[in-house]
Amino acid sequence: MKQFFLLIALAIATTVSSQAPTKLNSADIYQAIKKANVLASVLYVAAHPDDENTTLISYLSNEKYARTAYLSLTRGDGGQNLIGPEIRELLGVIRTQELLAARGTDGGEQLFTRANDFGYSKHPDETLNIWNKDEVLADVVKMIRTFKPDVIINRFDHRSPGTTHGHHTSSAMLSVEAYSLAGKATAFTDQLKTLEPWQPKRQFFNTSWWFYGSQEKFDNADKSKLLEFETGVYYPSKGLSNSEISALSRSQHKSQGFGRTGSRGSDVNYLELINGDMPKDKSNLFEGINTTWSRLENGETVGKLLKSVETNYNFKDPSASIPMLMQAYTALQKLDDSHWKTTKSKELEQIITACAGLYLEAAATTPTATRVSTIPLNIEAINRSPVNIRVNSILFPASNQVIEDTLELTPNNDIERQFNYSISNSAAFTSPYWLTKKGTLGMYAVDNEAFIGKPQTPSPHNVQFKLTIAGMPITITRPIVYKTSDPVKGEVYMPFEIVPKASVSLNDDVVIFEDEASKTIAVNVTAHTASLDGTLKLNVPNSWKVSPESAAISIKQKGATQSINFKVTPPQQQDEGYISPILTTATNTYTNALEVIEYDHIPIQRVLLPSESKVVRLNIKKKGNNVGYIVGAGDVVPESLRQIGYNVTLLNVDNITAENLKIYDAIVVGIRAYNTVDALKFKQPILLEYVNNGGNLIVQYNTSHRLLVQENLAPYKLNLSRDRVTDEFAKVTFLNPEHPVLNTPNKITQTDFEGWVQERGLYFPDDWAKEFTPLFEMNDSGESPKKGSLLIAKYGKGHYIYTGLSFFREFPAGVSGAYRLFTNLISLGK
């Protein structure tokens, strides 16, 4: 797990809890002190991870010292994944962590609603019909009342429905509506049990040339109603421009391929006022807003103390500021304003500990534990300053345990203690809170209202160090972490998490039965505790058979896995359903799989989900056996083709030759391959020669708005567009019903387009040579017919096939018609 270079040390309120502790240098401390003296806040609102303007967020946080948060209405579950096979909910988990990494870089905070990214939407009417508009609006209002922004900035224009992604426009529309509701005591009154109405001062639309259609149109537009900011500032203390920081933040969205090279020099951002009063100074977002400590009753005392700390700060000896910082912290605790008291207390706690070089840690000896268990904790405390610091007690709130020993932290004397930490029988399992209960297509279900809006599940497993610093009390809270030493990476931090005593999993999300033959399905039981005994069964649909009925499980070592093979027999007729394992022990039953997501750029994620696989009995025929696959931006098409009996070889594009392609009945090119695989620029002639010699080349969708590594995708003219059909139920018209692909070896009918998920397809060609034959016509409601979803051209002795149909989504969902149609593509001409 990568330990991020926290170039921006201002990410105080939103850091990834499992990361190595933030260590501020002297310059960082000074910047944090300056930020502590500013009581301004901005909420930036958009729809998805990677929609946010990282340049503006960084500028507001690091140049203007405003508390800045990004409210992403969704977690990006409906996107594609360029780094691995995870899609839908698991992709949403990845993108959530990427957003947290981005905020840890640009200094912002991260918030969410319960809206589920169900996929591309062309109009807000469609979006708000699938989302529960009232619930999402309630969440936006709640985030305004919780965060209490002085200013709201929308990424998108609420006045232009239908011109961009429906989620985008919906985010702006909901933000505008929430702006007027958040301050009303009559709106969403159930929230007012714990919150209070809050009215932001003003609201803006973060416009740019893109919204005007071109840079030229924007340059010539009237900008008299726009605020203008020079955001290309340079930070000497960091050695980086704001734009470079923005690029580092943007580059955290690795699953979307958003790595960026930092830029330098002037960079202007524009804001158009849509609510509230226009600042007279068009470069001052906060004009007329009191952003000093005097906005709080009795806050001037804290402000004067912190201003003195800022004025007299000693870069060579930050610890000299501690006595006055502690006075400010003590005075802050006496204020009535709980909102700013909570926010600024966290900031001051970090500043004080950084000034003292105070290192406090509670590290578990294992990354996971189960209920009713006890684990060793290594507790470390060291004061690297001349200031008097004493540990009075150490509390563990989740277990109601306490260490009463008084520890005098003499300068640079490292103190270590061991402690046995108890996990209660009621401890919650660690998992993303929005996935613990089944939601709907458009909304996540969240039972704990206190969690709504939070980026991740708050861990209850923390340690409170009750301290006296410079004669004044302060409590510093640290999460329990797991720390280990890796021979390559060195010191590695991971989350400390609570898991069930056992998990059960199946190897495949979908199992395809292409005939009546039985298949062996392995069920894996993993013990997360020592000495696990129980009975395992595999539940199957009524018309299916399974053998054996049950099997004994006995696992002695924690972390070990036992696999049991069950023989599953499908019915004679086409059918589908779900299978699910269940492990029964003397005290509990276990039905969940523990999914582990591990990438270098985010903390390891453990996700508990119901363990089940879709089983599909297909009436399917196929011709040909050997398929070569060129991997694109990540999909499970190769595994899906293996399920129905094809021999699939993943090809190294650098090594392909006309000779070694001869053995394949078809070559399939993965999604976005011509956007991501550079070698295709040079190997395209070889692929076309393969077609000319009698092969089938099946090219899945590529994006037109990204740079194609090879402009000549096909042997004939083929122009990609942004055309897509997002309605998975859209009518499909057969244009050439006698074409072999619709008849051999499987007869394709309207039934084969039933049960599709998320969409019909995307990025269809809109212009092609006469050699191409379109097979289908489809469109979303109110739009013109689109004929480019599947195009086939004869080239030499073989066939070139281009398809924007979303096979990469349908195969993991076990859509039988998608398998039958793709089989016909492979079989063409055989």
Side-chain angles (χ1 to χ4, degrees):
M1 180 183 67
K2 180 178 178 181
Q3 299 175 25
F4 291 105
F5 298 103
L6 295 181
L7 298 170
I8 307 305
L10 301 177
I12 294 173
T14 304
T15 56
V16 181
S17 63
S18 61
Q19 299 215 317
T22 303
K23 300 173 183 177
L24 308 187
N25 60 38
S26 184
D28 294 331
I29 295 170
Y30 180 66
Q31 296 301 314
I33 292 170
K34 293 181 72 173
K35 186 165 187 173
N37 252 324
V38 177
L39 278 68
S41 55
V42 179
L43 183 64
Y44 197 92
V45 182
H48 310 107
D50 72 41
D51 282 345
E52 78 274 27
N53 184 342
T54 54
T55 299
L56 192 56
I57 290 174
S58 177
Y59 171 80
L60 293 170
S61 179
N62 299 306
E63 177 67 14
K64 295 303 180 182
Y65 302 114
R67 186 183 180 211
T68 308
Y70 173 43
L71 172 58
S72 177
L73 267 59
T74 77
R75 297 176 184 267
D77 317 64
Q80 284 85 50
N81 185 358
L82 302 188
I83 61 173
E86 296 88 358
I87 58 175
R88 292 302 308 153
E89 291 84 358
L90 295 182
L91 176 59
V93 173
I94 292 173
R95 299 188 72 182
T96 294
Q97 293 301 317
E98 289 178 338
L99 271 177
L100 286 171
R103 299 294 79 77
T105 303
D106 59 34
E109 303 177 37
Q110 188 59 52
L111 302 169
F112 291 97
T113 74
R114 289 169 290 172
N116 190 346
D117 178 5
F118 56 83
Y120 192 84
S121 168
K122 292 182 177 178
H123 198 279
D125 288 349
E126 178 191 5
T127 298
L128 297 176
N129 186 47
I130 295 175
W131 288 350
N132 184 318
K133 180 193 171 183
D134 289 341
E135 289 186 358
V136 182
L137 178 61
D139 289 356
V140 179
V141 169
K142 181 179 181 181
M143 291 305 97
I144 294 173
R145 290 171 170 173
T146 301
F147 190 74
K148 293 189 174 181
D150 298 309
V151 175
I152 295 177
I153 301 174
N154 296 339
R155 166 77 281 191
F156 299 104
D157 189 352
H158 66 289
R159 300 157 297 193
S160 56
T163 60
T164 183
H165 196 325
H167 295 184
H168 291 168
T169 310
S170 295
S171 71
M173 293 169 64
L174 291 169
S175 177
V176 170
E177 190 171 353
Y179 177 90
S180 64
L181 293 175
K184 296 180 178 179
T186 55
F188 300 106
T189 54
D190 57 318
Q191 297 178 4
L192 301 180
K193 297 174 184 176
T194 55
L195 301 170
E196 60 185 10
W198 178 259
Q199 183 58 59
K201 180 72 171 177
R202 49 182 71 110
Q203 186 176 39
F204 295 92
F205 160 44
N206 184 195
T207 190
S208 69
W209 70 264
W210 188 87
F211 294 97
Y212 285 73
S214 71
Q215 184 66 53
E216 181 181 1
K217 290 181 180 179
F218 183 63
D219 291 341
N220 295 327
D222 177 12
K223 300 183 182 65
S224 61
K225 296 183 179 180
L226 304 185
L227 299 190
E228 182 175 328
F229 301 95
E230 172 54 69
T231 55
V233 296
Y234 175 69
Y235 304 115
S237 62
K238 299 170 175 50
L240 293 167
S241 70
N242 189 66
S243 301
E244 288 174 306
I245 293 169
S246 170
L248 289 169
S249 175
R250 190 78 170 158
S251 296
Q252 302 307 323
H253 296 294
K254 299 184 188 303
S255 67
Q256 305 306 296
F258 277 171
R260 294 292 183 268
T261 300
S263 61
R264 289 146 291 280
S266 178
D267 187 8
V268 179
N269 263 260
Y270 297 90
L271 299 179
E272 177 188 351
L273 183 75
I274 54 177
N275 271 311
D277 62 313
M278 186 72 169
K280 296 177 182 178
D281 180 356
K282 292 187 177 181
S283 64
N284 184 0
L285 184 67
F286 301 105
E287 185 180 67
I289 301 172
N290 186 355
T291 63
T292 72
W293 281 94
S294 64
R295 76 183 293 172
L296 306 183
E297 185 178 359
N298 300 320
E300 295 93 335
T301 301
V302 179
K304 289 177 182 178
L305 287 166
L306 290 179
K307 191 62 180 178
S308 180
V309 170
E310 180 182 333
T311 301
N312 298 295
Y313 181 70
N314 186 338
F315 283 85
K316 292 184 178 180
D317 183 16
S319 67
S321 299
I322 291 176
M324 193 165 289
L325 283 167
M326 284 301 302
Q327 291 179 43
Y329 179 84
T330 302
L332 176 58
Q333 306 316 303
K334 298 176 182 177
L335 300 186
D336 293 331
D337 189 298
S338 60
H339 173 72
W340 281 111
K341 181 195 297 186
T342 300
T343 299
K344 291 302 178 181
S345 290
K346 291 179 181 178
E347 293 184 24
L348 290 182
E349 287 165 12
Q350 187 180 44
I351 293 168
I352 291 165
T353 55
C355 285
L358 179 60
Y359 189 87
L360 302 169
E361 182 176 86
T365 57
T366 176
T368 63
T370 60
R371 291 171 174 170
V372 197
S373 65
T374 301
I375 61 160
L377 287 183
N378 294 318
I379 298 172
E380 180 180 2
I382 183 171
N383 166 27
R384 290 168 287 189
S385 77
V387 176
N388 291 328
I389 299 178
R390 183 176 69 248
V391 179
N392 300 311
S393 61
I394 303 174
L395 278 66
F396 303 84
S399 63
N400 294 317
Q401 293 173 276
V402 61
I403 300 176
E404 295 286 2
D405 294 346
T406 299
L407 303 174
E408 294 290 343
L409 300 184
T410 56
N412 216 32
N413 180 27
D414 196 16
I415 296 177
E416 295 185 10
R417 295 285 189 272
Q418 280 201 331
F419 178 75
N420 289 326
Y421 181 65
S422 299
I423 311 298
S424 73
N425 187 47
S426 60
F429 298 130
T430 306
S431 194
Y433 68 84
W434 62 95
L435 297 179
T436 57
K437 184 178 180 181
K438 188 174 181 61
T440 65
L441 174 63
M443 297 296 297
Y444 283 118
V446 179
D447 285 336
N448 190 334
E449 292 187 3
F451 287 176
I452 294 174
K454 295 185 182 298
Q456 55 188 349
T457 309
S459 174
H461 302 284
N462 300 305
V463 181
Q464 293 180 351
F465 293 87
K466 300 286 187 178
L467 309 173
T468 300
I469 299 179
M472 288 167 274
I474 187 172
T475 298
I476 304 297
T477 301
R478 292 285 185 265
I480 296 176
V481 296
Y482 169 66
K483 185 172 72 172
T484 188
S485 178
D486 183 272
V488 176
K489 299 177 182 178
E491 186 177 63
V492 174
Y493 282 81
M494 294 184 186
F496 170 70
E497 301 181 317
I498 308 302
V499 298
K501 291 185 177 181
S503 58
V504 289
S505 64
L506 298 157
N507 293 333
D508 300 299
D509 293 333
V510 176
V511 183
I512 304 296
F513 293 76
E514 70 272 23
D515 52 33
E516 300 174 25
S518 301
K519 283 194 175 184
T520 298
I521 295 180
V523 178
N524 309 305
V525 179
T526 300
H528 305 292
T529 186
S531 300
L532 178 73
D533 295 295
T535 301
L536 180 68
K537 292 184 177 182
L538 182 63
N539 295 328
V540 299
N542 290 334
S543 55
W544 297 60
K545 297 179 181 179
V546 61
S547 176
E549 290 186 1
S550 64
I553 295 294
S554 182
I555 304 175
K556 301 304 179 187
Q557 291 185 324
K558 176 182 177 180
T561 297
Q562 182 178 349
S563 293
I564 300 294
N565 289 328
F566 290 90
K567 185 173 75 171
V568 175
T569 305
Q572 293 184 357
Q573 70 279 9
Q574 185 159 310
D575 191 27
E576 61 184 51
Y578 289 90
I579 60 174
S580 57
I582 179 168
L583 174 67
T584 304
T585 67
T587 56
N588 283 296
T589 58
Y590 301 91
T591 59
N592 284 336
L594 183 62
E595 303 283 352
V596 179
I597 303 173
E598 191 166 4
Y599 291 100
D600 284 344
H601 69 296
I602 60 173
I604 191 170
Q605 300 293 300
R606 293 181 175 87
V607 184
L608 281 172
L609 293 173
S611 181
E612 65 177 15
S613 292
K614 186 176 183 179
V615 287
V616 179
R617 164 68 171 95
L618 270 180
N619 288 326
I620 191 169
K621 301 175 183 178
K622 66 183 193 306
K623 296 180 181 179
N625 294 303
N626 298 319
V627 174
Y629 199 91
I630 296 174
V631 176
D635 58 56
V636 295
V637 173
E639 293 85 346
S640 300
L641 295 178
R642 291 185 183 114
Q643 287 255 12
I644 54 176
Y646 284 108
N647 299 318
V648 182
T649 302
L650 301 184
L651 301 178
N652 183 332
V653 180
D654 291 323
N655 297 334
I656 64 173
T657 65
E659 185 63 29
N660 62 28
L661 293 184
K662 289 180 179 179
I663 64 172
Y664 298 109
D665 297 296
I667 302 296
V668 180
V669 182
I671 60 174
R672 291 188 180 182
Y674 285 94
N675 300 125
T676 59
V677 182
D678 290 336
L680 284 174
K681 179 178 182 180
F682 310 104
K683 298 295 184 174
Q684 182 73 350
I686 294 175
L687 292 175
L688 296 182
E689 181 181 352
Y690 162 79
V691 178
N692 190 53
N693 291 335
N696 284 348
L697 179 63
I698 304 170
V699 179
Q700 298 177 87
Y701 94 93
N702 292 269
T703 59
S704 59
H705 68 290
R706 292 180 182 270
L707 181 64
L708 293 167
V709 300
Q710 170 58 255
E711 293 184 4
N712 298 317
L713 296 181
Y716 311 111
K717 176 185 175 183
L718 185 69
N719 182 64
L720 302 186
S721 76
R722 303 282 290 174
D723 289 349
R724 62 197 302 165
V725 177
T726 61
D727 181 0
E728 62 268 40
F729 306 107
K731 179 183 177 182
V732 178
T733 300
F734 289 34
L735 297 175
N736 290 275
E738 303 306 317
H739 195 282
V741 162
L742 301 180
N743 293 278
T744 306
N746 304 288
K747 178 68 174 178
I748 303 301
T749 68
Q750 289 292 339
T751 304
D752 291 298
F753 285 94
E754 295 177 359
W756 283 51
V757 298
Q758 189 159 328
E759 62 196 357
R760 288 297 190 196
L762 63 171
Y763 300 120
F764 299 162
D766 63 353
D767 188 23
W768 52 83
K770 61 180 177 59
E771 286 82 2
F772 282 105
T773 299
L775 295 193
F776 304 118
E777 180 180 276
M778 60 188 74
N779 59 274
D780 284 321
S781 177
E783 293 193 351
S784 62
K786 307 294 187 292
K787 298 182 179 182
S789 63
L790 180 58
L791 301 172
I792 300 175
K794 194 81 167 67
Y795 181 65
K797 299 178 182 178
H799 298 87
Y800 177 93
I801 302 166
Y802 188 92
T803 179
L805 293 171
S806 57
F807 291 104
F808 72 102
R809 294 198 190 280
E810 312 315 316
F811 286 170
V815 178
S816 58
Y819 280 92
R820 286 162 47 82
L821 177 57
F822 207 91
T823 297
N824 282 13
L825 296 178
I826 294 173
S827 304
L828 182 60
K830 300 296 183 292

